[in-house]
Amino acid sequence: MAKLSKDTRQKLEQISTATVATCLFKKGLKNQFIQNVKPLKLGKPTMVGEAYTLRYIPAREDLNPLTVFRDPKHLQRVAVEECPEGAVLVIDSRKDARAASAGSILATRLMVRGVAGIVTDGGFRDSAEIADLDFPSYHNRPSAPTNLTLHQAIAINDPIGCGDVAIFPGDILLGDDDGVMVIPSKIADEVADQCLQMTLYEEFVMEKVQNGQKIIGLYPLTDEKNRLEFEDWKRNLKD
């Protein structure tokens, strides 16, 4: 799995999901926001990391008793121990939160190992405990039953669907208070650069709007006068 450069990661950590969504829309990518997935707690630092995937299928009772957790090769446990530092464990739970995708012990283990966050389109048990960790976490809603009652771990680091978005291993997940965007890995560097410029312009626009300026010609930028003012504004930031 290709790793993000330190420079690109730092750039993406300054960018919102809204800005990424607009940037990707300009590139023809319209379905990159994971649906019905939200942070367990607002106000945490922006989550950025490469996707390391875990896929569940519907559980079958004869293959998924509680004793399967004794197997050191159980794929859920293996995923927790092998998810790389700086990556995001993203779980395809088939949008089914009736049973938990994971709980606080596994989330804590990921945090201690230096993983960047965890995302599921299902639910977490021990959700209040996970919310209080220094660890970004996103799910559909809380869920108490063990994952074994409905989910069977079947594959690690394969392409998955999570919240109606196709996610390939190594794709970049960016999460904030609004949710999670998925950036195709091959364009992550250019998206980071373009989004930083978009973010800078939005700061300029916000300053202008707060001072009473109309948005026509300003947002989007269609007035040459505003473009020149923006260039002057950027130069002043460097001084």
Side-chain angles (χ1 to χ4, degrees):
M1 184 171 69
K3 286 188 67 67
L4 269 176
S5 70
K6 182 178 179 181
D7 182 57
T8 295
R9 185 183 293 271
Q10 289 175 340
K11 290 175 182 177
L12 290 172
E13 288 172 346
Q14 304 173 56
I15 294 164
S16 71
T17 52
T19 300
V20 171
T22 299
C23 181
L24 293 179
F25 178 66
K26 291 177 180 178
K27 298 179 181 297
L29 294 164
K30 304 175 184 178
N31 185 42
Q32 300 302 117
F33 185 70
I34 299 180
Q35 297 297 307
N36 299 315
V37 164
K38 54 187 178 295
L40 273 70
K41 180 178 282 188
L42 300 176
K44 292 191 176 183
T46 299
M47 178 188 73
V48 175
E50 305 92 336
Y52 186 87
T53 65
L54 171 63
R55 181 164 62 91
Y56 291 148
I57 61 172
R60 206 177 80 183
E61 288 80 0
D62 62 325
L63 298 176
N64 217 44
L66 190 60
T67 53
V68 299
F69 281 150
R70 297 177 182 175
D71 183 356
K73 296 182 180 179
H74 186 272
L75 290 179
Q76 185 203 50
R77 269 44 179 181
V78 171
V80 168
E81 293 298 333
E82 293 188 356
C83 184
E85 181 179 352
V88 174
L89 179 61
V90 52
I91 305 172
D92 174 2
S93 294
R94 308 174 349 269
K95 301 186 289 185
D96 191 342
R98 292 177 297 160
S101 302
S104 61
I105 292 175
L106 300 189
T108 300
R109 176 59 179 158
L110 290 166
M111 177 187 71
V112 169
R113 292 191 56 252
V115 172
I118 186 170
V119 179
T120 179
D121 58 3
F124 292 128
R125 66 198 311 187
D126 315 318
S127 59
E129 295 175 37
I130 296 174
D132 284 341
L133 294 175
D134 185 20
F135 184 64
S137 49
Y138 296 79
H139 73 170
N140 181 295
R141 58 179 171 81
S143 183
T146 173
N147 68 298
L148 296 178
T149 61
L150 285 175
H151 304 306
Q152 183 169 328
I154 198 68
I156 292 175
N157 234 23
D158 280 351
I160 62 170
C162 184
D164 295 323
V165 179
I167 300 175
F168 292 80
D171 283 347
I172 310 307
L173 271 67
L174 187 149
D176 61 14
D177 285 353
D178 287 341
V180 181
M181 288 293 299
V182 180
I183 306 169
S185 58
K186 64 182 179 181
I187 60 171
D189 293 342
E190 64 182 85
V191 167
D193 289 336
Q194 292 169 11
C195 284
L196 262 189
Q197 290 304 307
M198 292 169 63
T199 299
L200 198 61
Y201 183 68
E202 287 167 0
E203 291 175 7
F204 167 76
V205 168
M206 184 61 75
E207 185 177 302
K208 289 291 186 180
V209 170
Q210 288 175 339
N211 289 328
Q213 183 164 330
K214 296 179 180 179
I215 61 169
I216 296 173
L218 177 67
Y219 189 71
L221 178 58
T222 58
D223 188 320
E224 178 65 10
K225 177 176 175 291
N226 290 323
R227 188 190 68 78
L228 294 174
E229 288 185 7
F230 176 52
E231 295 302 323
D232 286 340
W233 182 85
K234 286 194 294 184
R235 281 192 288 270
N236 290 333
L237 286 179
K238 298 176 182 178
D239 295 339

